[in-house]
Amino acid sequence: MPNRTVYFVSDGTGITAETFGNSILAQFPGKPRHVRRPFVDTAEKAHQVVHEINQTSEAEGRRAIVFATLVNREVLQVVREHCKALVLDMFNTFIEPLEEEFQVKSNHRVGRFSDVARSQEYHDRIEAINFSLAHDDGQSAKNLESADVILVGVSRSGKTPTSLYLAMQHGIKAANYPLIPEDFERSKIPSMLEPHKRKCFGLTIDPERLSQIRNERRPGSKYADLMNCRYEVNEAEAMMKRNGISWLSSTHKSIEEIATTILRDIRPDRLIY
Amino acid sequence: MPNRTVYFVSDGTGITAETFGNSILAQFPGKPRHVRRPFVDTAEKAHQVVHEINQTSEAEGRRAIVFATLVNREVLQVVREHCKALVLDMFNTFIEPLEEEFQVKSNHRVGRFSDVARSQEYHDRIEAINFSLAHDDGQSAKNLESADVILVGVSRSGKTPTSLYLAMQHGIKAANYPLIPEDFERSKIPSMLEPHKRKCFGLTIDPERLSQIRNERRPGSKYADLMNCRYEVNEAEAMMKRNGISWLSSTHKSIEEIATTILRDIRPDRLIY
């Protein structure tokens, strides 16, 4: 799909339109140009965006695709009536059957994030981010008992981004603790982790991939050497096995997939709320 | 909506179903119970989930709501045929008009995250997270020239979570730098920031709220004192004004809203890709 533009138009942040639209577009070959237009919450702004979209459609010789999450009726009306584009109205399509099911009218409130900044859930997310930062890379053994999850694995196996993602998206207090050559020589997991094994989860990684990642940071070092990476990964997996810690490989997985798997396997309660 | 359960069922992570479903549910009063069921990618797993859903519907005396993002046709078939629930099939609803528009069949590939772990875009996100961590709270002035954005503001105005969110979701290298009482006494922005003013963005916060947040960390301190918070916030806003740095208040905004506003205002290029 060259020369085709997809717009994500929202009266909120547009994150929902973008997440959902991208999932659907992944079902098609090619990659159109993406444009996010957030905070379109007045008729005037709607007319501006419509003007931009129509110009694009004309310039490209084919109509643009518009994923719209618009709660404001006046804005939606402008987009629907004046856009020379394929407009996919993501909200109203599903709101109608839900109104019927719930036997209640929807309230047309803009944005899933409105007013959340003062909610308990939001507060917990911010607290979790602070916790995960303070407990990144084994920085602190303080309060490990209040961690929800402790990620373990060799350096550069993906622990830090996964911990931060768990905190930010799910409000999970995720500490992370590296397994280092000294631990392998001693053949024992770090003593700090001993009392918390049940909430440990391991990340492993293909040694070739690990060597490649480490070489970007310290080219030609022993740290990045393939033989050494093989040794560390083998030792780490053996150590996790001996200690009954489940693990997964981050090699072909995104942080979103890793985080979801961890939740499902060791905090299934957090998938229910 | 008490005694009603909403399921997010997916053959991928279920993040899309959850994000989208929650946006729609926010249009209705009340809060049903939420259950996410990821990685439902075989007919057998589908039958398990269907069984769970049907039991819930029966126990609650009203049918559950199912937001489904299922690419696997066999799985979708099982859910559609056997669920005693309101099934909202989020993908197929929009895939048909798109197939017609693009004049191409969709490829039924599971998950927007599949194989991303090796893509350039994913690599850039991980690099951005590492950059933002290394440049959190003014830790390092090294490579500030390669920052995409530098967030400035008083301690606890929301800089750290916002930087991490920008990195994680948008691959933005976001540094953050605190404005501290010494800067206000000197009446000058930190010298490190001087050459990078154009990419600075300020966060401010209501002094009452700031005092409350700081009191959670250091109760009864001068740091948390309301008069001191008022002084710091005033000085910080005056300093940003003098230096032509735009800012917004984080008081009633989520990190998602703050991040989207920053992108729109100082990196509009990042809303197009």
Side-chain angles (χ1 to χ4, degrees):
Chain A
M1 285 177 278
N3 302 326
R4 169 88 82 164
T5 301
V6 173
Y7 284 87
F8 306 103
V9 180
S10 173
D11 36 21
T13 61
I15 292 169
T16 302
E18 198 175 7
T19 306
F20 189 50
N22 279 328
S23 289
I24 291 179
L25 290 169
Q27 305 304 314
F28 293 93
K31 190 181 176 301
R33 193 171 70 114
H34 292 56
V35 179
R36 172 145 65 114
R37 288 290 170 251
F39 306 128
V40 181
D41 52 8
T42 64
E44 197 193 328
K45 290 183 199 166
H47 279 295
Q48 273 172 26
V49 168
V50 165
H51 181 70
E52 181 192 343
I53 293 171
N54 290 349
Q55 280 200 319
T56 301
S57 290
E58 198 154 314
E60 294 178 347
R62 46 179 85 189
R63 57 182 189 163
I65 312 292
V66 178
F67 286 95
T69 48
L70 293 166
V71 176
N72 183 314
R73 281 176 178 165
E74 200 189 352
V75 172
L76 180 61
Q77 184 85 343
V78 172
V79 171
R80 263 192 186 152
E81 276 184 16
H82 301 286
C83 257
K84 288 168 193 140
L86 174 66
V87 178
L88 300 169
D89 175 3
M90 297 158 71
F91 273 176
N92 285 280
T93 308
F94 294 110
I95 279 182
E96 221 169 87
L98 282 171
E99 286 183 336
E100 194 154 314
E101 181 73 20
F102 293 146
Q103 288 292 309
V104 59
K105 281 275 164 200
S106 69
N107 54 27
H108 290 270
R109 206 177 57 174
V110 176
R112 71 176 172 123
F113 299 119
S114 302
D115 309 312
V116 298
R118 304 200 80 143
S119 73
Q120 184 61 40
E121 191 193 329
Y122 186 76
H123 180 266
D124 292 347
R125 278 174 69 200
I126 301 293
E127 280 304 294
I129 294 170
N130 291 331
F131 182 93
S132 293
L133 273 177
H135 294 81
D136 182 39
D137 205 28
Q139 272 180 72
S140 166
K142 237 173 70 182
N143 300 327
L144 267 189
E145 61 277 10
S146 63
D148 295 309
V149 173
I150 304 169
L151 298 181
V152 298
V154 301
S155 166
R156 296 286 124 189
S157 54
K159 300 183 300 298
T160 296
T162 305
S163 319
L164 290 172
Y165 184 85
L166 281 166
M168 191 165 286
Q169 292 301 119
H170 300 287
I172 294 271
K173 288 182 178 167
N176 75 79
Y177 214 95
L179 298 178
I180 57 175
E182 286 77 354
D183 299 316
F184 306 140
E185 280 160 30
R186 274 196 306 267
S187 245
K188 283 187 70 174
I189 64 164
S191 56
M192 318 269 188
L193 298 181
E194 199 55 64
H196 306 296
K197 277 190 206 173
R198 268 182 321 126
K199 55 187 178 192
C200 285
F201 192 96
L203 292 186
T204 189
I205 182 169
D206 174 62
E208 275 76 17
R209 177 78 185 124
L210 181 62
S211 168
Q212 198 183 338
I213 294 172
R214 287 182 171 186
N215 260 310
E216 282 179 29
R217 294 175 72 89
R218 296 199 220 150
S221 61
K222 183 186 174 198
Y223 171 75
D225 177 67
L226 179 57
M227 289 296 285
N228 178 60
C229 289
R230 277 197 188 123
Y231 163 76
E232 286 194 30
V233 168
N234 273 339
E235 290 290 321
E237 291 183 359
M239 186 172 280
M240 295 189 283
K241 201 166 191 172
R242 280 198 309 275
N243 286 280
I245 295 170
S246 37
W247 77 84
L248 61 76
S249 166
S250 67
T251 314
H252 299 290
K253 285 193 162 61
S254 66
I255 47 181
E256 286 84 355
E257 288 169 319
I258 299 168
T260 300
T261 306
I262 292 171
L263 287 180
R264 187 196 58 184
D265 290 359
I266 73 171
R267 293 304 304 253
D269 57 307
R270 292 301 188 106
L271 292 174
I272 301 174
Y273 53 95
Chain B
M1 284 178 279
N3 303 324
R4 169 88 82 162
T5 301
V6 174
Y7 285 87
F8 306 103
V9 179
S10 174
D11 35 22
T13 61
I15 293 169
T16 302
E18 198 174 10
T19 306
F20 189 50
N22 278 328
S23 289
I24 291 178
L25 292 168
Q27 305 305 313
F28 293 93
K31 191 182 175 301
R33 192 171 72 113
H34 292 57
V35 180
R36 171 144 66 114
R37 289 290 171 250
F39 306 129
V40 181
D41 51 9
T42 63
E44 197 193 330
K45 290 183 198 166
H47 279 293
Q48 273 173 27
V49 168
V50 166
H51 181 69
E52 181 191 345
I53 292 170
N54 290 348
Q55 281 202 319
T56 301
S57 291
E58 200 154 313
E60 293 178 349
R62 47 179 83 188
R63 58 182 186 162
I65 312 292
V66 178
F67 287 95
T69 48
L70 294 166
V71 175
N72 183 313
R73 281 177 178 166
E74 201 188 352
V75 173
L76 181 61
Q77 185 85 342
V78 173
V79 171
R80 264 193 186 152
E81 276 185 18
H82 302 286
C83 256
K84 288 169 195 140
L86 173 65
V87 178
L88 300 169
D89 175 3
M90 298 159 71
F91 273 177
N92 285 280
T93 308
F94 294 109
I95 277 180
E96 219 169 272
L98 281 170
E99 286 184 336
E100 193 154 314
E101 181 72 21
F102 293 146
Q103 288 292 309
V104 60
K105 281 275 163 202
S106 69
N107 54 28
H108 290 269
R109 207 177 57 174
V110 175
R112 70 174 172 126
F113 299 118
S114 302
D115 309 313
V116 298
R118 305 199 80 142
S119 72
Q120 185 60 40
E121 191 192 328
Y122 187 75
H123 179 267
D124 292 347
R125 279 174 67 200
I126 301 295
E127 280 303 294
I129 294 171
N130 290 332
F131 182 93
S132 293
L133 273 177
H135 294 81
D136 183 37
D137 206 28
Q139 272 180 73
S140 164
K142 237 174 70 183
N143 301 328
L144 266 190
E145 61 278 9
S146 63
D148 294 310
V149 174
I150 305 169
L151 298 182
V152 299
V154 302
S155 167
R156 294 288 124 188
S157 54
K159 300 182 300 299
T160 295
T162 305
S163 318
L164 290 172
Y165 184 86
L166 280 166
M168 191 166 284
Q169 291 302 118
H170 300 288
I172 294 271
K173 289 182 178 165
N176 75 77
Y177 213 95
L179 298 178
I180 58 174
E182 287 76 356
D183 299 315
F184 306 140
E185 280 161 30
R186 273 197 305 269
S187 243
K188 282 186 70 174
I189 64 164
S191 56
M192 318 271 190
L193 298 180
E194 199 54 65
H196 305 296
K197 278 189 205 173
R198 269 182 320 127
K199 57 188 179 192
C200 285
F201 192 95
L203 292 185
T204 190
I205 182 169
D206 174 61
E208 275 77 17
R209 177 79 184 123
L210 180 62
S211 169
Q212 199 183 335
I213 294 172
R214 287 183 171 184
N215 260 311
E216 282 180 28
R217 295 176 72 89
R218 296 198 220 150
S221 61
K222 184 189 171 197
Y223 169 76
D225 177 67
L226 178 56
M227 289 295 286
N228 178 60
C229 288
R230 279 199 188 123
Y231 163 77
E232 287 194 30
V233 168
N234 273 339
E235 290 289 321
E237 290 183 359
M239 185 172 279
M240 295 189 281
K241 202 165 189 174
R242 279 198 307 277
N243 286 279
I245 296 170
S246 37
W247 77 85
L248 61 75
S249 166
S250 66
T251 315
H252 299 291
K253 285 193 162 61
S254 65
I255 47 181
E256 286 83 355
E257 289 169 317
I258 299 168
T260 300
T261 306
I262 292 171
L263 287 180
R264 189 197 56 183
D265 290 359
I266 74 169
R267 294 303 305 253
D269 55 307
R270 291 301 187 105
L271 292 173
I272 301 174
Y273 52 96

